[in-house]
């Protein structure tokens, strides 16, 4: 099984557990947490796009990625804790994830030396990978989060890229990392398709 940072989610959730009672007591809803994560991501992405030369913003991106991952974990935990799981909440969660990803990835296009076609390919394949993860439900499987380049892994990869941008590493290295991310995304896509099919096997060809 391909390793993914997502496999550490149970331990991460344990660290966030003390927050749940406080959020529920203040009547914070899971959808509010989801929207907060999305709007904060959009705001940070706009700041990066407006000030791509600001080193502090790039240095802060890994920290923001961690905060976003925490918010993404909290909304699901809060929904279970308060028994507020809804179909609308599930749709909003998926939508918020994709919007947030785009908002935080696309500003890298403004970094000098980044190959724009490569970055767009990464963004599109990441979107397709998540689409397949959701589409697995149509095949009778559960929502697929298989790696090795799931949402959490992408957050780590782009957090690392942001640090390299801040320290003005050669664009050659930035593009090399993007190529690795692209290849791992393709691997992830194949993994999710395979594991979404019944018995992990493709249907027979008539």
């Amino acid at each position: 099984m391909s390793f993914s940072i997502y496999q550490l989610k149970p331990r991460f959730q344990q660290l966030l557990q003390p927050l749940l009672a406080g959020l529920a007591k203040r009547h914070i809803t899971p959808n509010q947490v989801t929207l907060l994560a999305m709007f904060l991501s959009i705001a940070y992405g706009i700041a990066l796009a407006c000030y791509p030369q600001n080193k502090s913003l790039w240095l802060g991106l890994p920290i923001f990625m961690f905060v976003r991952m925490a918010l993404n974990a909290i909304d699901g935990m809060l929904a279970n804790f308060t028994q507020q799981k809804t179909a609308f909440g599930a749709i909003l969660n998926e939508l918020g994830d994709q919007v947030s990803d785009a908002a935080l990835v696309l500003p890298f296009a403004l970094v000098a030396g980044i190959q724009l076609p490569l970055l767009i390919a990464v963004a599109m394949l990441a979107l397709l990978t998540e689409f397949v993860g959701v589409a697995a439900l149509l095949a009778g499987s559960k929502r697929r989060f298989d790696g090795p380049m799931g949402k959490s892994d992408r957050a780590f990869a782009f957090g690392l890229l942001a640090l390299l941008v801040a320290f003005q590493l050669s664009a050659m290295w930035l593009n090399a990392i993007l190529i690795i991310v692209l290849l791992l995304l393709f691997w992830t896509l194949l993994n999710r398709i395979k594991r979404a099919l019944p018995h992990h096997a493709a249907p027979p060809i008539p």
Side-chain angles (χ1 to χ4, degrees):
M1 184 174 182
S2 302
F3 176 77
S4 171
I5 294 175
Y6 181 79
Q7 292 171 316
L8 302 177
K9 185 176 180 179
R11 294 184 181 179
F12 187 47
Q13 287 178 326
Q14 288 178 358
L15 296 176
L16 298 173
Q17 197 73 32
L19 294 175
L20 293 183
L23 292 174
K25 186 177 180 180
R26 289 169 176 78
H27 305 290
I28 303 297
T29 68
N31 290 348
Q32 287 174 337
V33 177
T34 301
L35 288 172
L36 176 64
M38 183 176 71
F39 288 133
L40 286 178
S41 297
I42 293 172
Y44 206 103
I46 290 174
L48 284 172
C50 291
Y51 305 101
Q53 304 302 323
N54 190 313
K55 181 178 179 179
S56 297
L57 285 174
W58 293 110
L59 284 173
L61 186 57
I63 299 173
F64 180 79
M65 288 289 196
F66 180 82
V67 172
R68 181 198 160 199
M69 289 298 102
L71 291 173
N72 284 344
I74 287 172
D75 61 2
M77 294 170 63
L78 188 60
N80 288 323
F81 184 77
T82 59
Q83 298 183 343
Q84 296 185 61
K85 294 182 71 173
T86 64
F88 175 74
I91 293 173
L92 183 63
N93 183 63
E94 294 293 343
L95 178 64
D97 281 347
Q98 307 321 311
V99 171
S100 298
D101 274 354
L104 295 172
V105 167
L106 293 180
F108 282 86
L110 301 174
V111 176
I114 287 281
Q115 293 295 318
L116 185 56
L118 180 57
L119 181 66
I120 292 176
V122 167
M124 293 299 294
L125 195 55
L127 180 62
L128 184 59
T129 298
E130 295 308 316
F131 171 77
V132 169
V134 175
L137 296 169
L138 299 176
S141 179
K142 60 182 181 180
R143 171 65 161 94
R144 302 306 311 183
F145 295 99
D146 308 280
M149 190 50 66
K151 179 174 62 178
S152 301
D153 307 290
R154 294 196 303 274
F156 176 83
F158 277 94
L160 175 61
L161 271 175
L163 289 178
L164 300 182
V165 170
F167 290 109
Q168 300 181 329
L169 200 71
S170 168
M172 177 185 70
W173 291 104
L174 302 180
N175 290 315
I177 291 176
L178 284 175
I179 290 172
I180 293 172
V181 171
L182 186 65
L183 293 174
L184 291 177
L185 276 169
F186 185 68
W187 183 3
T188 302
L189 180 65
L190 295 179
N191 275 343
R192 292 190 179 185
I193 292 173
K194 177 182 176 182
R195 292 169 184 169
L197 297 175
H199 309 297
H200 295 177
I205 298 175

